[in-house]
Amino acid sequence: MTDPLEVIERVLRAVEQVPHGHVVSYGDIAALVETSPRRVGAIMGEWGGEVAWWRVTNAAGRLPDPLLPLARKQWQREGIPVDGDHCVISRCRADLTRLAADYADAVEDLS
């Protein structure tokens, strides 16, 4: 996929499919969209403000320090387990098979 705007749209739609109370990693989203985790992170940093960005972390459940105060509030609100400065992704990772199916439906109208 070479259209940068379509990649952005696909990443944001993938994030929209992550259920309340669950988290995925940048790599999980990257696998769905067929891009790199770094690109997902860059897209989230630039355009992720309108989606549930706190549901997408690195593989260790961490987010950049400036985002932590608001992320912690959101994690608490959604019942996402937290250990210090990160969420416990191993206990709240979304079902990736279901996420892939939901994502496929969400991008059906693209290309």
Side-chain angles (χ1 to χ4, degrees):
M1 176 178 348
T2 57
D3 181 1
L5 294 178
E6 184 174 335
V7 175
I8 292 165
E9 183 65 23
R10 286 178 175 275
V11 166
L12 297 177
R13 288 190 192 188
V15 173
E16 288 174 337
Q17 305 315 304
V18 179
H20 178 94
H22 293 84
V23 177
V24 294
S25 70
Y26 298 115
D28 295 334
I29 296 295
L32 285 176
V33 177
E34 298 179 352
T35 191
S36 73
R38 286 182 188 258
R39 192 161 185 198
V40 171
I43 289 169
M44 292 301 293
E46 185 74 24
W47 292 279
E50 298 299 317
V51 296
W53 54 267
W54 58 90
R55 295 182 190 155
V56 185
T57 69
N58 71 13
R62 298 184 191 282
L63 286 170
D65 287 341
L67 299 177
L68 281 177
L70 185 53
R72 277 193 194 107
K73 289 178 185 175
Q74 295 293 347
W75 291 338
Q76 181 180 21
R77 206 172 279 140
E78 294 191 18
I80 295 170
V82 175
D83 182 13
D85 63 350
H86 64 281
C87 72
V88 185
I89 194 169
S90 63
R91 290 184 31 213
C92 59
R93 182 177 246 126
D95 176 336
L96 298 180
T97 302
R98 176 63 190 251
L99 182 65
D102 292 344
Y103 169 73
D105 289 343
V107 296
E108 209 169 48
D109 65 318
L110 300 176
S111 3

